[in-house]
Amino acid sequence: MKLKRLISWLLASALAASLAVMPIGAAGTSSFGDISDRETAVNADILRLMGVVSGTGGNQFNPNGTLTRAEFCTMVVKFMQQGDQVPIHATRTIFSDVTSKHWAQGYVNLAASLTVKDGEREVPLISGVGDGRFQPDEKITQAQAATILIRVLGYSSEQAGAVWPQSYMNLAESIGLSDGLPSDYNAALTRGQAAQLFVNALSCKNGEGSDYYTTLGKAQEDTIILAVNVETDDGTSDGAIRTTANKESEAYLPAEGEGNPYALQGKRGALVLNDKDEIVTFVPDDSSATTIILSGDAQPSYVKASGGSQYTMSKDTLLYTADATEGKSYMEGYSVLKSGTQITMYSERGKIVAVYASGSASSIDSDAVVVMGSPSTAMFHQLTGGATNFNIQKGRQTITMSQIQPYDVVTYDSMSNTLIVSDLRLTCIYENASPNSKAPTEIEVLGHTFEVLDSAWEMTGDYKVGDQVTLLLTADGKVAGMAAPSGKTRSTAIGMVDSGKATVFLPNGGTLELSGTISNADNLADQLVTISSGAKGKISASKLSSKSTSGQFLVEEGKLGSYTVSAGVQIYEQVNGGAMVKLDPTSLNMASIPGEKIATYHLNTSNYVDYIVLDRVTGNAYEYGILISTTTSTPVLDGDGEDTGEEKESKKWNLVNGSGTIDLKNTGFAGKNGTMAGVAVGSNGRIVSIIELEEIKSVSPSDFFESQGVQYVNAGGRTYRVADDVECCRDTGSIRDAKDSWFSQDSGEERLAAIKAFSSDLTIYVDPIGDQVRVISAK
């Protein structure tokens, strides 16, 4: 399904505000350009979806403007889905002051002709002021508007009471019709208040005790709106909406309104369809919902928000993304939730039942802008379709327009109304182009085929195959332009190298692979390097230059000295000389890290920290368990290949824990069989470091305690933190049985509880880097 560009959804300021936990809807804005209040945004867009409103011109809603009696009657007719009956009522005069010269004659006449039940009799939905006039241009009051909607809901005058307006307003309050409105019944009704009133009416019980929205069509409860203003499969109809209720790749079209209610994207509630499967309305539910920005990539059993809050995820929790046609289980799809992603979690009775991710790399549109000079809103008009209230992200960090730099590449994520800025550049030899170098759709460089965007042709025509160029790449690795190598267009590609290949890290969290000769690959293995190429088939790699900082790394605040740490920061830890292993940012269970423990860091072109290398700080780069060796014998051959009759013994080591077995190839470990240890695994499964754990015996379950949600233990005269993913096993006294002795609960907390219940005689094993309990054994 093709996706049309959305005009607006996320307020630029919402994600910039400290990346903290936000309530549902905090990041949403109306399709109307003059609404900033999130509740009004939702209400106005529901009415737009229903066809009740379309604005006051210029994409304005004028929420503080007052309504006339004629305008409110028009809204009521459309709310009742009776708009198709208007033309036949526009040829007669019912009220002397609503003639053919008045724009609303058909609507007013229709409203006066519609009848509602009032007990045993039928009465007009509206009436005049008593002298044959309607006063269409007089301002309508809250009491008058509520009275009309009480009639729409089917309440009789006996149910409402005899004293107007007080008894009617009492009824309105009791059924929730006036929720969120001021109590000045005689005040003129504003357009924003009217939107609240109509949306309240949708959820009100009618005179027969049913939710009013269920009388408008077939209601599909617990539906999430995934994307708005999408094209249908045949490409002929836009304004459609895709929801979790859609079958396969279908999209629903509104019956009367417009399919661009951007404030509803990501909302959960009841979708009401007519008999043609067209949308009549959408009513958000009152389920608990929380929107957060992820700090670190999502994990199999939890996610963390910037600020430290952690949320437990069930494997079967449904996960929806705006660019997918259907939901999947959290366990199947969590890997797409990268650090910096905005997600909304829907909860019922304290359990998260569904997760919605606002957008992903696959929803980035195919055009791009290469920034030359000072950026401006007008520069991106073609990308955004004219939207001006877009969010801007670089490395999954919200930035301002002024922080976009020359030669940055900007694409547009239409799902979240976000400009995606990439400063990824690769200097290389232009090796091949298809179908030609003037307008290539693909180019080949260092064994990788790059997709070329059409918008890049303005720049690719200046270069020919064989030239040294700098590729200007999008966040997902597509070519958006070319430039001559210079100080301003130097290669910014960062990654890791191995014999014959290089892995480049993409700003969207992905990677791309290059192949070629690397002269010093062995010395650079498992180190962060900058990557470029000055000759065909040859990769130049240089170790990321060292930078020291006198300031601390304040983990929760996202600050490294005076610099801001990007939401998409990649964090590594040195484990053995220069070798390093990538860490999950959520595993940094400390408030701050001293500057002297920062081996180096890297700044992107907007001066945000996008890479940090720690110097043996956490110990979280290791897998922990028991080392088990097996001895094999091989014949010793002489120079002619003949068996000498002698045998050579060699040891093969494995690390065993509750997750399985890691084959430690060519480690050269000379320790004792059965040692509790940690193993750091680098690129291509290379073992880059092994550390032995400190053993502390005679620990009792009563020595463990919890503080602020973290487990600790007092042992050997010290207090140690228990690792969140602690491994637990039974001490069987036999190395042979070690593989079957591990506790298999899903989380470290559950394993800790199980081993404490299993035995009163425990042994803990502490890592020498982070001083955390990594393994616990029980007799």
Side-chain angles (χ1 to χ4, degrees):
M1 179 178 289
K2 300 176 183 177
L3 301 176
K4 294 279 286 184
R5 294 190 182 94
L6 307 180
I7 294 178
S8 62
W9 183 38
L10 296 178
L11 284 173
S13 60
L15 296 183
S18 73
L19 297 183
V21 176
M22 299 177 295
I24 177 65
T29 187
S30 176
S31 58
F32 297 107
D34 59 347
I35 298 179
S36 57
D37 176 72
R38 63 177 180 268
E39 292 186 9
T40 304
V42 170
N43 293 338
D45 275 14
I46 289 174
L47 297 190
R48 188 168 204 164
L49 178 64
M50 295 183 71
V52 175
V53 299
S54 57
T56 59
N59 201 41
Q60 303 293 295
F61 182 73
N62 190 20
N64 297 319
T66 55
L67 284 169
T68 65
R69 287 164 56 82
E71 287 171 335
F72 189 78
C73 276
T74 300
M75 295 173 74
V76 170
V77 167
K78 293 178 178 179
F79 181 76
M80 297 176 69
Q81 304 293 295
Q82 296 291 325
D84 59 343
Q85 301 298 312
V86 170
I88 63 176
H89 291 272
T91 57
R92 61 194 180 105
T93 299
I94 295 178
F95 300 106
S96 61
D97 54 353
V98 187
T99 66
S100 59
K101 295 182 179 180
H102 198 282
W103 67 270
Q105 184 186 40
Y107 288 100
V108 173
N109 287 347
L110 175 57
S113 302
L114 291 172
T115 59
V116 294
K117 280 193 173 184
D118 187 3
E120 298 297 323
R121 61 195 181 102
E122 299 279 340
V123 298
L125 177 61
I126 66 160
S127 56
V129 295
D131 56 358
R133 295 182 302 132
F134 183 70
Q135 295 183 345
D137 300 318
E138 291 294 315
K139 294 178 180 179
I140 193 167
T141 67
Q142 182 184 149
Q144 292 168 344
T147 299
I148 294 172
L149 287 180
I150 282 173
R151 291 174 181 166
V152 170
L153 292 170
Y155 288 93
S156 67
S157 55
E158 290 184 2
Q159 290 172 298
V163 181
W164 189 90
Q166 187 62 51
S167 58
Y168 276 78
M169 296 310 298
N170 288 343
L171 175 60
E173 183 177 354
S174 69
I175 63 175
L177 180 61
S178 60
D179 287 354
L181 297 178
S183 56
D184 188 355
Y185 309 147
N186 294 316
L189 188 72
T190 68
R191 293 173 59 83
Q193 291 168 352
Q196 181 72 67
L197 196 62
F198 279 110
V199 172
N200 287 346
L202 287 171
S203 297
C204 283
K205 299 291 184 183
N206 63 15
E208 297 179 352
S210 300
D211 293 328
Y212 178 73
Y213 70 81
T214 64
T215 68
L216 299 176
K218 51 188 178 183
Q220 298 179 332
E221 308 288 347
D222 302 330
T223 297
I224 299 174
I225 293 185
L226 298 178
V228 304
N229 203 26
V230 302
E231 285 186 354
T232 53
D233 288 335
D234 61 9
T236 59
S237 300
D238 61 7
I241 293 173
R242 189 166 67 249
T243 77
T244 56
N246 291 111
K247 298 176 181 178
E248 298 179 353
S249 60
E250 292 178 348
Y252 292 133
L253 289 167
E256 301 292 340
E258 299 174 324
N260 55 356
Y262 309 118
L264 303 184
Q265 185 165 314
K267 287 285 187 179
R268 181 176 185 260
L271 182 73
V272 181
L273 305 174
N274 63 17
D275 55 5
K276 298 178 182 178
D277 276 349
E278 297 169 325
I279 299 176
V280 177
T281 190
F282 176 79
V283 186
D285 62 22
D286 57 358
S287 61
S288 173
T290 303
T291 297
I292 64 171
I293 302 297
L294 293 186
S295 171
D297 298 347
Q299 299 302 302
S301 61
Y302 67 90
V303 296
K304 276 190 175 180
S306 295
S309 298
Q310 181 169 309
Y311 301 86
T312 300
M313 294 292 175
S314 167
K315 295 178 181 179
D316 298 326
T317 298
L318 285 176
L319 171 63
Y320 299 98
T321 56
D323 52 349
T325 57
E326 59 184 20
K328 58 180 66 175
S329 72
Y330 177 80
M331 184 54 64
E332 289 179 296
Y334 78 90
S335 61
V336 306
L337 304 180
K338 302 297 184 181
S339 179
T341 301
Q342 176 178 289
I343 66 170
T344 297
M345 300 171 292
Y346 303 90
S347 302
E348 292 179 351
R349 297 180 181 178
K351 181 180 180 181
I352 297 173
V353 296
V355 178
Y356 169 76
S358 64
S360 67
S362 58
S363 66
I364 295 176
D365 292 338
S366 59
D367 293 334
V369 169
V370 176
V371 175
M372 297 294 184
S374 299
S376 65
T377 299
M379 185 180 290
F380 310 113
H381 182 91
Q382 185 176 351
L383 286 181
T384 65
T388 58
N389 59 340
F390 41 71
N391 184 50
I392 307 174
Q393 285 194 346
K394 189 174 193 175
R396 287 173 271 169
Q397 172 70 37
T398 298
I399 65 172
T400 64
M401 181 74 71
S402 64
Q403 292 172 304
I404 301 176
Q405 300 297 309
Y407 296 101
D408 279 353
V409 172
V410 181
T411 50
Y412 183 59
D413 181 353
S414 58
M415 287 299 159
S416 59
N417 188 34
T418 302
L419 293 180
I420 306 296
V421 183
S422 168
D423 62 0
L424 178 59
R425 301 191 288 265
L426 177 65
T427 300
C428 57
I429 300 299
Y430 189 0
E431 295 181 12
N432 199 5
S434 177
N436 57 66
S437 59
K438 292 293 184 183
T441 57
E442 294 179 343
I443 66 172
E444 291 183 13
V445 169
L446 296 169
H448 183 81
T449 301
F450 289 87
E451 179 182 343
V452 182
L453 303 181
D454 294 354
S455 54
W457 292 347
E458 294 180 7
M459 304 176 76
T460 56
D462 296 334
Y463 304 93
K464 63 182 184 299
V465 172
D467 288 346
Q468 185 178 36
V469 299
T470 295
L471 303 182
L472 309 176
L473 302 173
T474 64
D476 53 350
K478 298 182 178 66
V479 176
M482 286 184 181
S486 70
K488 294 182 179 180
T489 61
R490 61 179 177 80
S491 187
T492 61
I494 292 176
M496 286 188 167
V497 295
D498 201 349
S499 179
K501 72 173 185 178
T503 300
V504 176
F505 302 141
L506 299 176
N508 73 345
T511 60
L512 63 83
E513 301 292 331
L514 305 176
S515 60
T517 302
I518 308 170
S519 60
N520 55 345
D522 290 342
N523 295 329
L524 295 174
D526 294 300
Q527 298 185 39
L528 287 178
V529 296
T530 56
I531 297 169
S532 62
S533 175
K536 184 176 180 180
K538 293 185 178 181
I539 298 173
S540 298
S542 301
K543 183 178 178 180
L544 202 64
S545 57
S546 297
K547 279 192 177 80
S548 59
T549 176
S550 58
Q552 299 183 80
F553 176 20
L554 302 178
V555 177
E556 294 185 2
E557 289 84 348
K559 286 287 187 179
L560 178 59
S562 60
Y563 293 110
T564 296
V565 177
S566 170
V569 66
Q570 296 197 42
I571 300 178
Y572 289 79
E573 184 164 30
Q574 287 187 171
V575 295
N576 183 15
M580 57 189 68
V581 176
K582 188 175 182 181
L583 295 181
D584 174 8
T586 62
S587 71
L588 297 181
N589 42 31
M590 53 191 68
S592 64
I593 297 173
E596 60 267 22
K597 300 300 290 184
I598 307 296
T600 190
Y601 62 94
H602 181 267
L603 299 173
N604 66 17
T605 58
S606 293
N607 276 337
Y608 283 95
V609 178
D610 55 1
Y611 291 89
I612 297 176
V613 179
L614 307 179
D615 185 15
R616 290 175 59 87
V617 173
T618 71
N620 295 336
Y622 292 80
E623 289 278 343
Y624 293 95
I626 188 170
L627 290 176
I628 298 177
S629 68
T630 54
T631 302
T632 58
S633 299
T634 55
V636 177
L637 306 179
D638 61 19
D640 297 324
E642 298 293 330
D643 190 343
T644 63
E646 298 179 359
E647 290 188 339
K648 178 183 178 180
E649 291 188 348
S650 60
K651 281 188 176 182
K652 176 183 177 183
W653 290 93
N654 290 314
L655 181 84
V656 178
N657 60 24
S659 299
T661 300
I662 299 175
D663 185 0
L664 310 184
K665 298 177 181 178
N666 302 320
T667 62
F669 180 70
K672 180 182 177 182
N673 196 18
T675 297
M676 291 294 184
V679 175
V681 182
S683 58
N684 294 328
R686 182 187 293 110
I687 306 303
V688 296
S689 178
I690 298 177
I691 55 174
E692 296 187 26
L693 304 183
E694 177 189 357
E695 180 184 71
I696 303 176
K697 295 183 177 181
S698 302
V699 178
S700 167
S702 62
D703 293 328
F704 291 83
F705 65 96
E706 181 180 327
S707 177
Q708 297 182 341
V710 177
Q711 294 290 334
Y712 295 89
V713 60
N714 292 318
R718 291 185 57 188
T719 298
Y720 298 95
R721 177 181 176 130
V722 180
D724 294 339
D725 57 353
V726 64
E727 296 283 354
C728 298
C729 65
R730 296 176 293 277
D731 183 359
T732 63
S734 170
I735 298 296
R736 183 177 300 176
D737 298 330
K739 290 184 180 180
D740 301 321
S741 65
W742 295 87
F743 287 77
S744 59
Q745 287 80 3
D746 290 337
S747 70
E749 182 180 7
E750 292 172 320
R751 293 191 290 270
L752 176 60
I755 199 168
K756 286 162 59 180
F758 176 80
S759 174
S760 60
D761 186 3
L762 306 176
T763 299
I764 64 173
Y765 296 87
V766 179
D767 80 84
I769 297 175
D771 273 346
Q772 295 189 64
V773 177
R774 301 295 182 171
V775 179
I776 305 174
S777 69
K779 288 188 176 181

